[in-house]
Amino acid sequence: MKNNIKALRKELGLRQEDMANTLGVTRQTINAIENEKYNPTLELAMKLARLLNTTIEELFILDL
Amino acid sequence: MKNNIKALRKELGLRQEDMANTLGVTRQTINAIENEKYNPTLELAMKLARLLNTTIEELFILDL
DNA sequence: TATGAATGTAAATAGAATTTGACATTAAAT
DNA sequence: ATTTAATGTCAAATTCTATTTACATTCATA
């Protein structure tokens, strides 16, 4: 499961902490998802996609 | 978080147990997701969407 | 090169997803 | 009306996600 959160995040000029605050999670959670430490829940992933003005399918790539 | 898994599943003539088997989870997990008992992980949600020939965005509706 | 801001990371813990096993309910068909 | 398949549900145990706290590392810039 890869993703391009970091690229999209930087396009918007946001820090991990900014995203964490607006999504109501911690900075470490955002960091862990960006660096593919684990799979987020669907709801958090959808909020992430919405914040980054994109879709789940464009944000996350299920490698299989 | 609503979804239309049941409708799409029946269009394909699949049972909950069929989906569970192909996705490598238990029937109870499929049932719980269909009946909105909890949010699945992103990976499972993506596999579900792929199995049902649709996208996350069309399968799940984040009510907010 | 030194300083601060942003990011990476780790361990412990809490909390939620999923499994297991079992039983109840519904739907379909005989 | 019976039987069987399919679905709904529940409790306990397990696995994994997510939080918290804390410290290390990278990166930019003075």
Side-chain angles (χ1 to χ4, degrees):
Chain A
M1 176 80 81
K2 299 193 178 308
N3 70 77
N4 25 54
I5 296 174
K6 182 182 295 186
L8 289 174
R9 175 172 61 78
K10 291 195 172 178
E11 283 181 18
L12 294 180
L14 296 173
R15 295 171 305 155
Q16 292 180 343
E17 194 171 7
D18 296 327
M19 295 186 56
N21 289 339
T22 50
L23 296 182
V25 298
T26 62
R27 180 179 67 80
Q28 284 80 347
T29 294
I30 298 298
N31 184 285
I33 295 172
E34 268 192 10
N35 292 293
E36 298 161 10
K37 299 303 180 188
Y38 53 73
N39 300 114
T41 54
L42 176 59
E43 183 173 358
L44 180 53
M46 291 186 81
K47 288 179 180 175
L48 248 161
R50 194 171 50 182
L51 176 59
L52 295 173
N53 300 314
T54 185
T55 63
I56 297 274
E57 275 76 12
E58 292 191 19
L59 194 54
F60 295 92
I61 299 98
L62 185 59
D63 39 24
L64 255 183
Chain B
M1 176 80 81
K2 299 194 177 307
N3 72 76
N4 24 55
I5 296 174
K6 181 181 294 186
L8 288 173
R9 174 172 62 78
K10 291 195 170 177
E11 284 182 16
L12 295 179
L14 297 173
R15 295 171 305 156
Q16 292 180 344
E17 194 170 6
D18 297 327
M19 295 187 55
N21 289 339
T22 51
L23 296 183
V25 297
T26 63
R27 181 180 66 80
Q28 286 82 345
T29 295
I30 299 297
N31 184 285
I33 294 172
E34 267 191 11
N35 292 293
E36 299 161 8
K37 300 301 180 188
Y38 53 72
N39 299 114
T41 54
L42 176 59
E43 183 173 357
L44 180 52
M46 291 186 81
K47 289 179 178 173
L48 250 161
R50 194 170 50 183
L51 175 59
L52 296 173
N53 300 314
T54 186
T55 63
I56 297 274
E57 274 76 12
E58 292 191 21
L59 195 53
F60 296 91
I61 299 98
L62 185 59
D63 38 24
L64 257 185

